[in-house]
Amino acid sequence: MENYQAMQFREHPPMSIDVLDRREGDAEFCNRAERSYTLPARAYTDPAVFEAEKEAIFARSWWCAGHKSRLQKPGDYITTEIHEQSVLVIRGKDGALRAFYNVCQHRGHELVKGDGSAKALVCPYHAWTYNIDGTLKAARLTKSMPDFERCRFDLKPVLVDELCGFVFVNLDPGARALKEEMQGLEDEIRKYCPRVDEMVFAHRDRFDIAANWKVVIDNFLECYHCHPAHKDFVDLVDMDSYRNVINGRFVSQISEASRASNKAYAFKKGDVEFGYAGWYIWPNLTIWVYPGDPNISSLIMMPSGPERTAEYLDWFLPSPEPTEQIRSAMRYMNETLQPEDIALCESVQRGLKSKGYNQGRFVIDPANPALSEHGVHHFQAMVAQALGLAVG
């Protein structure tokens, strides 16, 4: 039997928090997925774990900030919130993307909100003005101040990178390059979405979930629940060819075929030649390609509390106006698949607080890779290692 073992990631010294140390009654979480118990329930409910994750995971990982189609011209900008850290990404006059902490260097006021376009970044508090390359252009009444060095008050940079049109930022100045971190991901996306470079933002939906962000990721990373909980989905994809493959920092979920006539939504075979493809990207992003007309969508899970998650589902198409077939796929996502998954995750979150539960076992069956929970174990191992939990 093949062993699904968690890969070791030690780019950063792990953080250690007492709340995840072994306690009396805990079973072992270990690298051998087929022998491992799940993380204890308190990993999903304790505010101390949530606080530790902010620094140990989210301040050290590539975070999807948006899409290049919203940053087409010099001065176009978007903002994103990584917990308490606001970051702006802006297109420079030289065409390059730059990212900065979204805070004026005078007294700490936020510079901009949301998305937009600007020839210069002007703080609404005292009108300190920054060029779109982040350099301080003007600071009122400072010319006569002794030893005022303008260059010391440039905006503080944040790492920014792009992959298949998706724009990522990383608060860790020593982070590995995105493509190095996600080796092979770009090739896979281009295979299943050959027109990815043409995609532009078309639509966004938001969902608020009463569940920890890791519950939502756990749910995405296995299709063991698909037959009982997603009957339309298993009618859409070919489960015989469905594979859940660990690729380091990302996990691929691929079905090599799909049925045009199915219970989810009807379609005619379009540019999506290979059926369904989905990817989980560490720590909190999923990307999907659905069968039919050209499309790619992203779902980012934004933790808003120990037991709350905001989901943003964005669709990207060759044109901002969806085809009727894509509208059908959107309706399926909004009216069927998302409500099914949200109900599952919220029920799990309630159950994790039960005095009758602490840990379960991963169901690992290499003979049935479509249903095996090795992807969930891999994700939980990355969380455990980031937080400094000893994993045997």
Side-chain angles (χ1 to χ4, degrees):
M1 176 180 290
E2 180 182 355
N3 293 325
Y4 291 104
Q5 295 184 316
M7 299 179 66
Q8 301 296 313
F9 297 101
R10 293 295 187 185
E11 292 91 347
H12 301 283
M15 295 188 66
S16 181
I17 53 175
D18 294 339
V19 74
L20 275 189
D21 287 346
R22 288 280 297 276
R23 294 184 181 178
E24 184 178 354
D26 281 356
E28 184 182 16
F29 180 92
C30 67
N31 271 329
R32 293 177 65 89
E34 70 275 14
R35 295 183 179 274
S36 179
Y37 282 76
T38 62
L39 289 176
R42 60 186 178 275
Y44 296 83
T45 61
D46 195 299
V49 176
F50 179 73
E51 288 301 314
E53 289 170 345
K54 292 180 181 179
E55 180 62 31
I57 296 176
F58 294 103
R60 299 179 172 192
S61 302
W62 287 102
W63 173 284
C64 185
H67 193 264
K68 70 174 184 179
S69 61
R70 290 190 158 184
L71 296 161
Q72 295 183 347
K73 305 184 304 296
D76 287 353
Y77 66 83
I78 57 176
T79 60
T80 188
E81 313 297 320
I82 307 176
H83 293 291
E84 293 83 8
Q85 303 303 314
S86 181
V87 176
L88 72 91
V89 182
I90 191 165
R91 179 78 68 183
K93 293 180 180 178
D94 58 358
L97 289 178
R98 294 179 178 85
F100 306 98
Y101 285 96
N102 182 26
V103 59
C104 180
Q105 299 300 296
H106 173 220
R107 293 264 298 280
H109 197 283
E110 291 178 323
L111 283 173
V112 294
K113 291 185 179 296
D115 305 346
S117 188
K119 294 182 179 179
L121 301 169
V122 182
C123 178
Y125 196 8
H126 299 100
W128 278 34
T129 302
Y130 299 85
N131 296 307
I132 60 176
D133 65 0
T135 56
L136 180 61
K137 180 180 181 180
R140 295 165 54 238
L141 307 180
T142 60
K143 290 183 178 180
S144 61
M145 288 176 55
D147 303 323
F148 183 83
E149 300 177 56
R150 188 180 299 174
C151 62
R152 297 186 64 181
F153 298 94
D154 294 341
L155 298 181
K156 299 301 184 287
V158 172
L159 292 182
V160 62
D161 210 340
E162 182 184 328
L163 191 148
C164 291
F166 294 94
V167 177
F168 293 78
V169 295
N170 196 319
L171 301 182
D172 177 12
R176 292 196 303 173
L178 177 63
K179 290 182 181 179
E180 182 182 351
E181 189 90 339
M182 304 293 171
Q183 290 186 34
L185 177 58
E186 181 173 7
D187 290 341
E188 280 198 12
I189 292 175
R190 291 187 179 281
K191 175 181 177 181
Y192 294 100
C193 185
R195 296 176 63 183
V196 67
D197 293 325
E198 302 174 34
M199 298 299 171
V200 297
F201 174 79
H203 183 73
R204 163 168 282 189
D205 292 298
R206 176 185 167 128
F207 307 88
D208 291 297
I209 306 175
N212 183 274
W213 70 279
K214 298 187 297 296
V215 170
V216 184
I217 300 295
D218 285 347
N219 178 74
F220 178 84
L221 282 169
E222 50 90 358
C223 218
Y224 187 41
H225 73 282
C226 289
H227 285 88
H230 298 315
K231 298 186 185 302
D232 293 346
F233 180 79
V234 298
D235 192 51
L236 170 67
V237 304
D238 174 29
M239 293 302 296
D240 290 337
S241 67
Y242 194 91
R243 295 292 181 269
N244 197 340
V245 181
I246 294 170
N247 297 291
R249 291 293 194 188
F250 72 94
V251 178
S252 306
Q253 297 179 337
I254 306 295
S255 169
E256 295 294 344
S258 54
R259 287 179 282 275
S261 179
N262 64 84
K263 296 177 182 178
Y265 65 92
F267 65 91
K268 295 180 180 179
K269 189 172 182 180
D271 281 4
V272 179
E273 299 286 348
F274 302 96
Y276 166 85
W279 297 273
Y280 159 71
I281 301 168
W282 169 264
N284 63 330
L285 176 68
T286 61
I287 295 177
W288 294 318
V289 175
Y290 272 98
D293 293 339
N295 71 91
I296 192 167
S297 55
S298 65
L299 185 67
I300 185 168
M301 277 63 74
M302 292 192 176
S304 53
E307 299 184 63
R308 303 291 307 191
T309 301
E311 285 189 333
Y312 293 90
L313 172 60
D314 291 340
W315 289 82
F316 305 93
L317 310 169
S319 166
E321 185 64 27
T323 65
E324 186 53 42
Q325 182 259 296
I326 293 296
R327 290 187 188 278
S328 297
M330 290 177 173
R331 285 194 294 270
Y332 165 65
M333 282 290 293
N334 286 338
E335 298 174 10
T336 302
L337 188 60
Q338 277 292 96
E340 289 171 347
D341 275 331
I342 290 171
L344 294 170
C345 292
E346 292 184 339
S347 180
V348 167
Q349 189 67 37
R350 292 190 295 270
L352 288 168
K353 293 185 286 187
S354 171
K355 294 181 179 181
Y357 179 84
N358 184 41
Q359 292 170 280
R361 282 287 296 273
F362 296 102
V363 175
I364 304 298
D365 184 1
N368 291 283
L371 307 183
S372 183
E373 294 182 313
H374 52 283
V376 184
H377 173 266
H378 180 68
F379 166 66
Q380 291 190 17
M382 288 194 288
V383 170
Q385 290 173 9
L387 294 177
L389 178 67
V391 180

